[in-house]
C-alpha cells in the first residue's frame, strides 16, 4: 500500500512539474511569438478596432499612420505615405498577415494598450492609447539610395559610425505595403502571394536584400584580413609579396588547383601598403595562408561574422565565415577566404558595420533604427542608448587601415569613381565571382567619410552583375551618390545641391 501511495505521489509531482513547465514555456519562451501572432484575438481586435501609433523618420516625416475607413466593423487601416521607399524598414500591419519590419518590432508600443497609471483615478480606470515610434531613418538619404540603385536588385546600408544609427537602408526588390492593409481580404491575399514570389534574380520583394541575403563580399573582405594582420601578426604587414599574376595553390589530395589569379590578370605585389589599394588577390591569398586559419576566423568573429547583428528588425541573418577546422589541409580555401571568395558570405549590413568599425576607431556600435518612443502626451517612454557591440581592432590599427582605404580612393581601385576630394573618402572595392554558369559577379563597395572625422559609413552591393562588371564601376557610382548626399545632409544642405552625376 505504501509503495502505491509513493508511486502515485511521484506521478502527481511529475504531472505538476509538467504543468509548470508548460506554463513557463507558453508565458516566457513563447510569449513574444504569441504576442505577435495573427491568431491572437487581442491582436486581431486591436488591429481592427483601434488605431496604431505613428512611425516617424528622424526629422518627423510620417512613415506610417492609421486612418479611418468609415467601416464600423473595421474602422481603421494602416497608411504608408512613402510606400515602397521605406517598406524595407517600416514593414506592414495587416489584419490577415500580421506585422513585419518596425511594425512588428515595436508592435507592443504601436497597438492601443493600457497606459501606466499617473494618478489614483487612472489606477482605478486605466486609460488606453498608443505610442509614437521615431526612427533614425533619413528620408532624403533613403531617396538618394533608391535613385542611385535605379531599380537594380541590390542594397544600400548607411550608418552613423559614431552611434550605430541606421540613416538609410534600401533594397531592391521592394514592395508597396498598401494592399496588405486593404479591408478586402482578396486584395491582401493577392498582394501577399505576389510579394512572396521571387523576382528574376531569385529575391522575394517581401524579403530584404540588405539584411536577409548573403553574398561573397569579395575584396571588401581584405579590410578584415588587414585588421587580422595588424592584430595578430603585425610583422607580416611589412613583408613584401613578390610581384606575380597568380598564386599556385594545392588542395586536398595534392592535385593542382586553378591558380588564384589577380583580377584582370595583371601582376601585383609588395607589402599591404601597396596591395590593399591595388586589391592584389594573390598577395592577399598568400597573406591569409601565412596569417593562419585561427587568427583569420577569430578576426571575422570579432567583426560580427557568425552572429546576428542586434538590429531592431525581424529576420536579420548572420554573415558566415568558415570555422578553423574547415581549413585543415585546405590552404586554397584559406587563401580564397582571405579575399572574401568561395565560402565567405556577408550581408550588406555586416559590410557596413565593418566600415563603421574602422571609421569609429575600432569600436563597432550596435546598429539601430529606434531613436525614441513617446506617449500620447509627448512624454518619453524610451530613448535609445547607443552601445558598443564589438571591438575588433584598436584605434591605432583603425588609423592605419583608414590610411590604406584612403589610398584606395586616391590611387587604387576606387580612383576611377570620382569621389570629391573635399569629401575625404576612405573606401574598399569588391568584385566577387559567384561561380555560376554565366560567370556573374557580385559588385561591392564599402566606404566612410570624411576620413578625418567620419559621419557616415556605407555598404553597397549589386548582386549577379555581368562577368565584365567591377565593384568600382558598378557599386562605385551608387556609393558616390550616397556619400555626397549624406555629407550634404550632415552639413544641413539639400542632398541634391552638391552633386550632378546622381539620378534625381
Amino acid at each position: 500500500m505504501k509503495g502505491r501511495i509513493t508511486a502515485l505521489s511521484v506521478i502527481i509531482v511529475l504531472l505538476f512539474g509538467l504543468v509548470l513547465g508548460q506554463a513557463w514555456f507558453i508565458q516566457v519562451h513563447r510569449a513574444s511569438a504569441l504576442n505577435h501572432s495573427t491568431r491572437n484575438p487581442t491582436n486581431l481586435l486591436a488591429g481592427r478596432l483601434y488605431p496604431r501609433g505613428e512611425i516617424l523618420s528622424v526629422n518627423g516625416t510620417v512613415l506610417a499612420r492609421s486612418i479611418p475607413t468609415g467601416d464600423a466593423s473595421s474602422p481603421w487601416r494602416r497608411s504608408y505615405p512613402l510606400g515602397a521607399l521605406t517598406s524595407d524598414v517600416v514593414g506592414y500591419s495587416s489584419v490577415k498577415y500580421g506585422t513585419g519590419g518596425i511594425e512588428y518590432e515595436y508592435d507592443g508600443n504601436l497597438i492601443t494598450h493600457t497606459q501606466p497609471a499617473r494618478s489614483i483615478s487612472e489606477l482605478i480606470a486605466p486609460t488606453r492609447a498608443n505610442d509614437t515610434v521615431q526612427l533614425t531613418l533619413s528620408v532624403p538619404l533613403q531617396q538618394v539610395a533608391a535613385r542611385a540603385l535605379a531599380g537594380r536588385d541590390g542594397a544600400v546600408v548607411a550608418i552613423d559610425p559614431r552611434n550605430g544609427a541606421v540613416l538609410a537602408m534600401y533594397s531592391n526588390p521592394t514592395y508597396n505595403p498598401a494592399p496588405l492593409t486593404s479591408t478586402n481580404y482578396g486584395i491582401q491575399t493577392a498582394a501577399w502571394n505576389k510579394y512572396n514570389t521571387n523576382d528574376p534574380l531569385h529575391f522575394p520583394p517581401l524579403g530584404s536584400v540588405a539584411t536577409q541575403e548573403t553574398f561573397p563580399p569579395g575584396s571588401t573582405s581584405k579590410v578584415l584580413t588587414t585588421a587580422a594582420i595588424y592584430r595578430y601578426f603585425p610583422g607580416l604587414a611589412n613583408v613584401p609579396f613578390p610581384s606575380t599574376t597568380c598564386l599556385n595553390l594545392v588542395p586536398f589530395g595534392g592535385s593542382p588547383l586553378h591558380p588564384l589569379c589577380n583580377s584582370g590578370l595583371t601582376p601585383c605585389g609588395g607589402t599591404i601598403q601597396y596591395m590593399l589599394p591595388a586589391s592584389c588577390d594573390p598577395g592577399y591569398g598568400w597573406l591569409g595562408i601565412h596569417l593562419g586559419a585561427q587568427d583569420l576566423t577569430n578576426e571575422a568573429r570579432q567583426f560580427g561574422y557568425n552572429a546576428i547583428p542586434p538590429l531592431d528588425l525581424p529576420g536579420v541573418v548572420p554573415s558566415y565565415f568558415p570555422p578553423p577546422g574547415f581549413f585543415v589541409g585546405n590552404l586554397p580555401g584559406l587563401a580564397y577566404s582571405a579575399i572574401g571568395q568561395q565560402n565567405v558570405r556577408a550581408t550588406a549590413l555586416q559590410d557596413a558595420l565593418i566600415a563603421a568599425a574602422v571609421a569609429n576607431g575600432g569600436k563597432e556600435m550596435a546598429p539601430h533604427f529606434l531613436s525614441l518612443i513617446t506617449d500620447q502626451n509627448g512624454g518619453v517612454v524610451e530613448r535609445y542608448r547607443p552601445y558598443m557591440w564589438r571591438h575588433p581592432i584598436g584605434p591605432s590599427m583603425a588609423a592605419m587601415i583608414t590610411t590604406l582605404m584612403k589610398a584606395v580612393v586616391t590611387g587604387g581601385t576606387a580612383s576611377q569613381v570620382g569621389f570629391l576630394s573635399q569629401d575625404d573618402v576612405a573606401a574598399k572595392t569588391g568584385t566577387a565571382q559567384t561561380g555560376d554558369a554565366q560567370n556573374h559577379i557580385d559588385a561591392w563597395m564599402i566606404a566612410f567619410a570624411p576620413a578625418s572625422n567620419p559621419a557616415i559609413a556605407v555598404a553597397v552591393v549589386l548582386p549577379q552583375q555581368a562577368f565584365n562588371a567591377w565593384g568600382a564601376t558598378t557599386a562605385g557610382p551608387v556609393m558616390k551618390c550616397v556619400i555626397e548626399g549624406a555629407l550634404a545632409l550632415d552639413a544641413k544642405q539639400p542632398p541634391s545641391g552638391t552633386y550632378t552625376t546622381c539620378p534625381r
Side-chain angles (χ1 to χ4, degrees):
M1 185 70 177
K2 183 178 179 181
R4 293 181 180 179
I5 294 175
T6 301
L8 182 61
S9 299
V10 170
I11 292 173
I12 291 173
V13 170
L14 289 174
L15 291 174
F16 187 66
L18 287 173
V19 171
L20 289 177
Q22 180 71 356
W24 175 89
F25 180 78
I26 292 174
Q27 296 187 33
V28 178
H29 182 72
R30 291 277 295 160
S32 178
L34 293 173
N35 284 338
H36 290 94
S37 173
T38 56
R39 298 183 178 181
N40 186 330
T42 302
N43 291 340
L44 289 173
L45 185 65
R48 293 180 60 180
L49 300 183
Y50 304 106
R52 292 170 66 85
E54 291 186 333
I55 301 175
L56 308 176
S57 75
V58 67
N59 292 322
T61 301
V62 176
L63 306 178
R65 60 156 57 103
S66 292
I67 58 175
T69 65
D71 181 351
S73 63
S74 184
W76 299 95
R77 65 172 290 187
R78 210 61 167 148
S79 171
Y80 300 95
L82 299 183
L85 178 67
T86 56
S87 60
D88 197 33
V89 176
V90 175
Y92 57 87
S93 177
S94 165
V95 173
K96 184 174 183 180
Y97 295 108
T99 54
I102 292 295
E103 293 272 30
Y104 174 94
E105 196 73 24
Y106 296 103
D107 185 62
N109 297 99
L110 293 167
I111 62 171
T112 298
H113 58 281
T114 302
Q115 299 294 297
R118 298 182 179 181
S119 64
I120 295 178
S121 60
E122 289 184 357
L123 189 62
I124 297 173
T127 60
R128 291 177 60 81
N130 52 57
D131 299 329
T132 296
V133 175
Q134 185 163 20
L135 308 181
T136 59
L137 193 72
S138 166
V139 171
L141 191 58
Q142 188 83 347
Q143 291 170 329
V144 170
R147 290 196 299 265
L149 279 179
R152 295 169 293 177
D153 277 12
V156 174
V157 179
I159 297 175
D160 186 333
R162 299 164 293 191
N163 53 32
V166 182
L167 306 179
M169 180 181 286
Y170 184 82
S171 297
N172 276 326
T174 185
Y175 67 98
N176 181 2
L180 295 175
T181 72
S182 173
T183 56
N184 184 316
Y185 274 25
I187 293 176
Q188 289 192 45
T189 301
W192 182 261
N193 292 337
K194 176 182 177 182
Y195 297 160
N196 280 286
T197 301
N198 288 349
D199 75 348
L201 295 189
H202 308 294
F203 305 126
L206 205 58
S208 170
V209 174
T211 62
Q212 297 176 359
E213 300 288 347
T214 61
F215 312 95
S219 292
T220 62
S221 194
K222 290 170 184 170
V223 171
L224 186 157
T225 303
T226 302
I229 290 169
Y230 282 141
R231 174 186 283 272
Y232 298 109
F233 198 166
L236 193 58
N238 298 314
V239 177
F241 175 72
S243 181
T244 186
T245 301
C246 300
L247 179 68
N248 293 316
L249 301 166
V250 180
F252 295 118
S255 300
L257 180 76
H258 184 76
L260 196 171
C261 297
N262 198 39
S263 294
L265 297 179
T266 55
C268 62
T271 64
I272 61 173
Q273 285 75 22
Y274 298 96
M275 291 198 295
L276 187 74
S279 200
C280 181
D281 287 338
Y284 262 83
W286 178 82
L287 287 171
I289 290 172
H290 283 76
L291 179 65
Q294 188 66 59
D295 291 342
L296 190 58
T297 55
N298 281 347
E299 192 63 24
R301 291 168 180 169
Q302 288 290 327
F303 272 105
Y305 272 84
N306 301 330
I308 299 175
L311 180 66
D312 45 348
L313 272 187
V316 177
V317 302
S319 298
Y320 176 74
F321 201 94
F326 175 82
F327 301 112
V328 174
N330 183 13
L331 294 184
L334 185 57
Y336 274 99
S337 292
I339 64 170
Q341 298 273 19
Q342 291 190 353
N343 294 287
V344 180
R345 297 187 69 87
T347 62
L349 172 62
Q350 177 62 64
D351 240 14
L353 289 172
I354 290 176
V358 176
N360 196 39
K363 296 179 179 179
E364 189 171 331
M365 306 301 288
H368 65 95
F369 278 110
L370 181 65
S371 177
L372 75 161
I373 300 173
T374 55
D375 60 24
Q376 290 286 294
N377 299 315
V380 175
V381 175
E382 180 182 348
R383 189 184 301 275
Y384 183 83
R385 297 181 182 277
Y387 67 95
M388 185 175 66
W389 181 47
R390 292 283 196 269
H391 198 179
I393 50 176
S396 61
M397 294 180 246
M400 289 187 287
I401 295 173
T402 297
T403 298
L404 296 177
M405 292 178 69
K406 288 181 64 176
V408 172
V409 172
T410 57
T413 54
S415 59
Q416 59 187 300
V417 176
F419 289 113
L420 301 177
S421 59
Q422 63 266 31
D423 288 346
D424 190 24
V425 179
K428 184 67 194 80
T429 58
T431 305
Q433 283 70 40
T434 63
D436 64 11
Q438 292 76 34
N439 294 318
H440 285 134
I441 64 99
D442 295 329
W444 285 88
M445 182 173 283
I446 59 174
F448 58 88
S452 57
N453 186 23
I456 187 73
V458 185
V460 174
V461 61
L462 288 98
Q464 298 186 40
Q465 298 296 303
F467 73 94
N468 57 350
W470 301 84
T473 57
T474 306
V478 178
M479 179 66 75
K480 183 177 186 292
C481 293
V482 176
I483 288 286
E484 291 179 10
L487 294 182
L489 289 166
D490 193 59
K492 312 299 183 187
Q493 298 173 3
S496 60
T498 58
Y499 55 90
T500 59
T501 59
C502 301
R504 301 295 177 87

